[in-house]
Amino acid sequence: MDPLHALFLFAVGLVAGVLNVLAGGGSLLTLPVLIFLGLPASVANGTNRLAILAQNVVAVGAFRKSGLLPLRLALICTPPALLGGLLGARLAVDVDDEVFRRILAGVLVLVAVLMLVDPARRLGRPARRLTPTRTAVLVGTFLLVGVYGGFIQAGVGFLIISGLLVQGLDLVRINAVKVFIVMFYTVAALAVFVAHGQVDWRLGLALAVGNALGGWLGTRLA
């Protein structure tokens, strides 16, 4: 691997890690960059998970140390997201490269529109008690979030923020829950991509170092 490529990936990962922890959308940078560096789209999708995992392990540790992680809520949301992540990754490994590129292009456009419209700002609610009905809604929501995240990851942070704003959390605690959930379903998704040979370890580790540092910086900023 060219040292310049490694440095470039580190820099992109650093920016993506900060974005992912504070809001989302970092994979909208890293996936196109990995494809630009010559990886097939399917391999770029799997390789990106190394960086996401490193970033979220660091961020979860920092949020827990700061006492900002609502662990009970995170533990409710994580199992369905984990199952969804496995299902999404299984779908992703079977998708043709050209089809995946078109899906990624569509996601880029959709997320850009959502960032301009910012519908999440209207979803904020006062804190509410988790009734059985609200818990069931959370479980269903995060099953779908996991499927999407396992499939493509890009933009999943915005979905999680929207899903948790209605629970009455502030953005700092929402981001703490988000990185916890993403960390666990990424382990499952990454295992699927590794099993199918869709991870470039050299590029992935260079990106992961940047994402990990960006994840730590993101928690400090939060």
Side-chain angles (χ1 to χ4, degrees):
M1 180 174 58
D2 189 319
L4 287 177
H5 287 172
L7 184 60
F8 179 49
L9 282 171
F10 170 81
V12 171
L14 179 63
V15 174
V18 173
L19 288 175
N20 281 334
V21 171
L22 289 178
S27 292
L28 298 170
L29 293 176
T30 55
L31 277 172
V33 164
L34 289 168
I35 293 171
F36 174 76
L37 291 177
L39 292 185
S42 57
V43 178
N45 192 18
T47 301
N48 187 50
R49 308 313 171 107
L50 281 174
I52 296 297
L53 180 59
Q55 158 205 297
N56 287 294
V57 167
V58 171
V60 166
F63 276 123
R64 285 208 67 188
K65 187 177 179 181
S66 301
L68 294 170
L69 175 62
L71 192 57
R72 178 171 175 264
L73 179 62
L75 290 174
I76 291 172
C77 299
T78 297
L82 181 62
L83 175 59
L86 279 170
L87 295 173
R90 279 293 309 140
L91 290 171
V93 296
D94 294 327
V95 172
D96 177 75
D97 258 29
E98 186 57 35
V99 172
F100 184 82
R101 286 171 183 263
R102 291 178 182 178
I103 292 171
L104 179 58
V107 168
L108 284 166
V109 173
L110 178 60
V111 172
V113 171
L114 289 175
M115 288 174 70
L116 290 172
V117 177
D118 191 16
R121 70 176 182 270
R122 293 183 286 272
L123 296 176
R125 299 288 187 277
R128 300 177 179 180
R129 186 172 63 86
L130 271 180
T131 63
T133 300
R134 291 170 64 79
T135 301
V137 170
L138 266 182
V139 168
T141 298
F142 280 91
L143 175 64
L144 296 176
V145 164
V147 172
Y148 176 83
F151 183 81
I152 196 169
Q153 181 64 31
V156 73
F158 301 119
L159 297 179
I160 295 176
I161 288 171
S162 298
L164 292 176
L165 272 174
V166 297
Q167 302 302 322
L169 270 69
D170 62 80
L171 277 174
V172 175
R173 285 171 176 76
I174 284 175
N175 283 317
V177 173
K178 181 186 70 183
V179 298
F180 186 92
I181 294 167
V182 174
M183 178 182 71
F184 276 96
Y185 82 61
T186 298
V187 172
L190 179 60
V192 173
F193 287 109
V194 170
H196 287 79
Q198 294 186 357
V199 174
D200 185 300
W201 292 93
R202 293 177 304 163
L203 295 181
L205 289 173
L207 186 64
V209 174
N211 269 69
L213 180 56
W216 180 82
L217 288 173
T219 59
R220 296 298 91 200
L221 290 171

